[in-house]
Amino acid sequence: MRSLILLGLVGFAAQLVDGSLGMAYGVTSTTLLLAIGTNPAAASATVHLAEIGTTLASGISHWRFDNVDWKVIAKIGIPGALGAFAGATFLSSLSTEVAAPIMSIILLALGVYILVRFTAFGLSRDNLGKPLRKRFLAPLGLFAGFIDATGGGGWGPVGTPALLASGRIPPRKVIGSIDTSEFLIAIAASIGFFVGLGSENIDFAWVAVLLAGGVIAAPIAAWLVRHIPPRILGSAVGGLIILTNTRTLLRSDWVDAPGNVQTIAYVAIAVIWAAAVAYSVREYRRHKEQESVEAIEAELRRREAEEPTPA
């Protein structure tokens, strides 16, 4: 019973972070399941089954708070589902251990860019309102979906920084769209796991507890995203991207850093991250009239009225 309660709290915390920052549900939940001895395929299958419910609840919550861009979801979600199905089906025979450090380096660079960009300058408005093209979103979705299924998490860590770096839609809609489209990825991955594994290795009690925790957290996270200013939200997401990908690199075969080195690195990142968020809060208060959620939305509506987005 104690382990189920703990798992429910993990599901709540993971969804709260995922729904408000656009990533970490799969990575957090899968890490815990692996730590207690679950094999990688079964752990990923359990998390993706739970995510069918949590992403549905999260998507509905983000939609109700107007955090969703449906055109982005249509262009990224279907390729993402195809990638997730392929990744789940071939998880037992494919390894991402070699590719993971390379991907982490790329995402780490994006995380540094996002942290510096949003902390120092706030949301860039140069490309705000411009459409995200299918030729960019489709390959991104395919790759992110595959990584998500094979690694037990990756849709948010890959998709969120890429969309944020484009500067074309507000951060809250990046997070809302990524979280909502993840419903398709969870369904496709779960079908793939049933095809490749069957259901005998899946503990449905764990699925139910993870699901319950995530469903409770989903509307809270969507509300937070709707009210956190873009500059502060960007700094928070950038720091999380840096922390998670540094963790991957330090634990990879490429580096294999000792435990004390890892601890020092995490503490240093946490201090820099906290300082960046504090600076963002201070700058936001100084320029609140230009950087509030309402001001960004007004600017976006004005641009859309002047240059209607092509169908």
Side-chain angles (χ1 to χ4, degrees):
M1 178 60 71
R2 182 179 298 178
S3 62
L4 290 178
I5 293 174
L6 177 61
L7 200 59
L9 291 174
V10 168
F12 178 88
Q15 182 57 45
L16 191 63
V17 174
D18 185 274
S20 56
L21 298 182
M23 65 190 77
Y25 183 89
V27 172
T28 303
S29 302
T30 303
T31 299
L32 177 66
L33 292 177
L34 291 175
I36 60 179
T38 309
N39 73 67
S44 190
T46 299
V47 169
H48 280 90
L49 278 173
E51 280 186 320
I52 292 177
T54 59
T55 55
L56 178 60
S58 182
I60 292 172
S61 299
H62 279 298
W63 166 67
R64 294 193 64 179
F65 283 105
D66 193 29
N67 296 334
V68 175
D69 187 321
W70 292 106
K71 292 180 181 178
V72 170
I73 291 174
K75 293 174 183 176
I76 199 174
I78 295 174
L82 294 174
F85 179 82
T89 304
F90 296 107
L91 177 59
S92 59
S93 59
L94 294 176
S95 173
T96 57
E97 291 180 2
V98 175
I102 298 174
M103 183 180 68
S104 291
I105 291 172
I106 296 171
L107 293 176
L108 182 60
L110 275 173
V112 171
Y113 169 77
I114 290 168
L115 182 67
V116 173
R117 183 70 183 81
F118 277 87
T119 301
F121 306 105
L123 176 66
S124 173
R125 303 192 186 191
D126 295 340
N127 295 317
L128 189 63
K130 294 181 180 179
L132 284 159
R133 303 298 184 187
K134 187 175 181 180
R135 61 176 177 267
F136 166 70
L137 291 174
L140 174 64
L142 189 68
F143 176 71
F146 182 83
I147 294 299
D148 188 89
T150 54
W155 180 251
V158 174
T160 298
L163 295 187
L164 276 177
S166 74
R168 298 195 172 210
I169 57 177
R172 70 179 182 86
K173 289 206 170 186
V174 169
I175 292 169
S177 300
I178 287 292
D179 275 7
T180 302
S181 59
E182 194 170 8
F183 175 65
L184 299 175
I185 279 67
I187 291 177
S190 296
I191 293 173
F193 281 121
F194 275 117
V195 170
L197 289 175
S199 60
E200 63 274 6
N201 292 321
I202 300 173
D203 190 323
F204 287 96
W206 290 3
V207 172
V209 172
L210 281 173
L211 171 59
V215 167
I216 294 171
I220 301 173
W223 182 87
L224 287 172
V225 168
R226 186 66 181 85
H227 292 85
I228 300 175
R231 180 192 283 265
I232 299 172
L233 191 59
S235 295
V237 173
L240 182 62
I241 296 168
I242 293 171
L243 183 63
T244 54
N245 287 286
T246 298
R247 176 180 178 275
T248 300
L249 280 174
L250 292 179
R251 295 187 174 192
S252 69
D253 291 337
W254 288 16
V255 180
D256 193 20
N260 60 332
V261 173
Q262 293 184 37
T263 300
I264 293 171
Y266 300 153
V267 171
I269 291 171
V271 170
I272 295 171
W273 186 10
V277 172
Y279 181 83
S280 291
V281 170
R282 191 189 74 176
E283 290 300 297
Y284 167 71
R285 288 176 175 173
R286 290 179 58 190
H287 306 286
K288 187 174 182 179
E289 291 185 1
Q290 294 80 33
E291 295 193 358
S292 66
V293 173
E294 293 75 17
I296 297 296
E297 294 300 313
E299 173 73 9
L300 185 59
R301 287 193 297 270
R302 184 184 66 79
R303 293 195 178 199
E304 289 176 344
E306 293 176 353
E307 300 181 20
T309 302

